[in-house]
Amino acid sequence: MKIDLRSDTVTKPTAAMLQAMMEAEVGDDVYDEDPTVRALEEKTAAIFGMEAGLFCPSGTMTNQIAIRISTQPQHEVICDKKSHIYLYEGGGIASNSLASVRLLEGAQGRFTAGDVQEAIQPDNLHYPISAVVAIENTVNKGGGCCYAWHDIEAISQVCKTHGLYYHLDGARIFNALVAQDEDSTRYGMLFDTISVCLSKGLGAPVGSVLLATKERIRQAKRVRKVFGGGMRQAGFLAAAGIYALDHHVKRLQDDHARAKVLADTLLALPYVGMVVPVETNIVIFSLSDQHTAEKLIVYLHEHNVLASLFGKMDVRLVTHLDFDDVMLETVCRTLKNFRG
Ligand SMILES: *Cc1c(COP(=O)(O)O)cnc(C)c1O
């Protein structure tokens, strides 16, 4: 059997989750008639202290809808150069929103209020109009690192002062909440839009929820329809999300503990260069050169461990619901036996 650490998206529904899905009460959600989708949207909104939610097929869609309802053509989105919305959404900001991007160079993908302040465009017709600031928490390409709350607050202050929308790409927000033992409801006080993924660490098969005010969710629903994301009896999928919110949040600490063991193992190995400090469930480490990184991926694959090449000479391992202590031991042993 393969041990798949390429991403936390690879998990399959547990028996109990499948049971919850099969028992879901459903209806046509495009007609607003699916009670389970409604329940998921309300539940997720309540967790973050937001008014309303919108269930979508992916985190890319929730992010792209958020940007679309916060911008006009020729506006600018301020985000980090490591951000998912910029790197991994197929250039969607340009094609979906006709907006441009202002890239910041944060520490492991985390920028500060000062960085935002400096990036805001002056009122001059040569420049695009700054419209949205988007942060990611945790930062995928930053090795799953978390934002400090005071930075999140300080950035919000700059957004308020300059009339900018504030978006949170919270694909792994629950990892951040668990790692920092944070109160989720206060997020709603600062952000205009929040995107939450159910199919990463939470282990649901499909889905993300966009959170905002009722009025903005009404606009978002129109955009979702145009993007092809209006789903019918989606309650079967929403039921998995509800189950995940009820049962798979606290256990994220197990994923974090296993990621730390992986990092500690790697730190002691001669062929490993730098290991990005582990805060949550992502381990990114570099090797001496590109050739060794590629060789390690192939070697791991031959030993039934799947890892991702992340950039030229970095490797990424992500822990998740389908990765247990026995597998952890196997992976550590396999890593120790690699001879560069
Ligand atoms: C996975 C991820 C998303 C959404 O990805 P989908 O595959 O479209 O669900 C968004 N942001 C970050 C940081 C992610 O890691």
Side-chain angles (χ1 to χ4, degrees), residues 7-11 57-59 171 196-208:
S7 174
D8 44 7
T9 55
V10 299
T11 57
S58 72
V196 179
C197 285
L198 304 165
S199 61
K200 298 256 162 100
L202 294 193
V206 176
S208 294

Side-chain angles (χ1 to χ4, degrees), residues 58-60 63 84 89 136 140 169 171-172 197 200:
S58 72
T60 298
N63 280 333
H84 194 280
E89 298 186 8
E136 203 171 294
N140 173 20
D169 178 353
R172 294 191 180 82
C197 285
K200 298 256 162 100

Side-chain angles (χ1 to χ4, degrees), residues 38-211:
R38 197 80 339 99
L40 170 68
E41 290 170 343
E42 282 169 12
K43 185 182 179 75
T44 315
I47 290 172
F48 289 93
M50 301 286 272
E51 264 180 37
L54 187 68
F55 185 46
C56 293
S58 72
T60 298
M61 189 180 285
T62 46
N63 280 333
Q64 291 297 319
I65 292 175
I67 292 165
R68 175 65 168 267
I69 63 172
S70 308
T71 52
Q72 298 291 327
Q74 300 161 16
H75 279 185
E76 192 163 72
V77 177
I78 298 171
C79 62
D80 195 272
K81 68 171 193 183
K82 283 188 156 63
S83 64
H84 194 280
I85 58 167
Y86 170 66
L87 283 178
Y88 300 126
E89 298 186 8
I93 295 175
S95 64
N96 294 321
S97 298
L98 303 177
S100 63
V101 172
R102 179 66 178 262
L103 296 179
L104 304 181
E105 280 202 49
Q108 283 175 251
R110 292 165 301 187
F111 51 81
T112 64
D115 298 332
V116 175
Q117 187 77 46
E118 268 179 44
I120 294 170
Q121 303 283 17
D123 184 6
N124 174 322
L125 62 78
H126 293 88
Y127 303 124
I129 296 171
S130 307
V132 194
V133 175
I135 70 163
E136 203 171 294
N137 198 23
T138 67
V139 187
N140 173 20
K141 217 168 159 60
C145 63
C146 306
Y147 260 90
W149 182 253
H150 61 84
D151 283 325
I152 293 179
E153 265 184 329
I155 295 169
S156 141
Q157 210 47 55
V158 176
C159 290
K160 281 208 177 77
T161 306
H162 295 270
L164 307 177
Y165 283 112
Y166 195 17
H167 174 66
L168 170 63
D169 178 353
R172 294 191 180 82
I173 187 61
F174 284 102
N175 294 91
L177 291 170
V178 167
Q180 306 203 307
D181 198 17
E182 266 186 311
D183 169 17
S184 53
T185 56
R186 62 183 182 177
Y187 274 78
M189 297 187 304
L190 300 189
F191 289 96
D192 296 292
T193 44
I194 300 180
S195 161
V196 179
C197 285
L198 304 165
S199 61
K200 298 256 162 100
L202 294 193
V206 176
S208 294
V209 183
L210 177 64
L211 306 173

Side-chain angles (χ1 to χ4, degrees), residues 224-245:
R224 183 185 67 174
K225 190 75 181 87
V226 174
F227 283 0
M231 298 183 285
R232 304 295 178 172
Q233 286 72 33
F236 293 117
L237 299 173
I242 292 172
Y243 183 89
L245 290 172

